[in-house]
Amino acid sequence: MYSLQRIYAYNEGSYVRAVHSGYGTFHYSRGMGWVFVIRYEDRKTSYSHLKEVGPKKYYLEGEVIGICGSTGIWSSGPHVHFESNQPYRF
């Protein structure tokens, strides 16, 4: 199975947008802070260390899903820890 992990540094408070459409859910992890996950068919992406997350609902590609932050004990500053089971070009 393919797995992609990337760290993107952003200013705290920057909008984080969905890279694909799908149903969004979230949870809190002690290490990763607020984690937002989008699933659609065989696609799954997660965005960790968010300051705020959007509600559980269906999101379109490019829609704001949260706000960049530094939550969780494994965070050393504002960034988004992005993970995907699909290859993406940015």
Side-chain angles (χ1 to χ4, degrees), residues 2-74:
Y2 182 86
S3 178
L4 169 76
Q5 294 188 31
R6 297 283 189 262
I7 305 294
Y8 295 100
Y10 290 108
N11 292 327
E12 187 164 357
S14 297
Y15 292 130
V16 178
R17 298 179 183 275
V19 297
H20 67 84
S21 299
Y23 187 75
T25 61
F26 60 86
H27 66 274
Y28 190 84
S29 161
R30 185 171 180 252
M32 300 296 274
W34 283 110
V35 179
F36 195 89
V37 178
I38 295 182
R39 289 186 171 94
Y40 182 74
E41 294 178 357
D42 63 340
R43 302 172 113 186
K44 176 184 170 187
T45 52
S46 69
Y47 312 76
S48 303
H49 304 295
L50 301 180
K51 179 178 180 178
E52 294 180 28
V53 293
K56 295 179 180 181
K57 69 172 194 128
Y58 189 86
Y59 286 85
L60 298 175
E61 181 179 332
E63 195 171 349
V64 173
I65 59 165
I67 295 178
C68 181
S70 184
T71 60
I73 63 171
W74 297 336

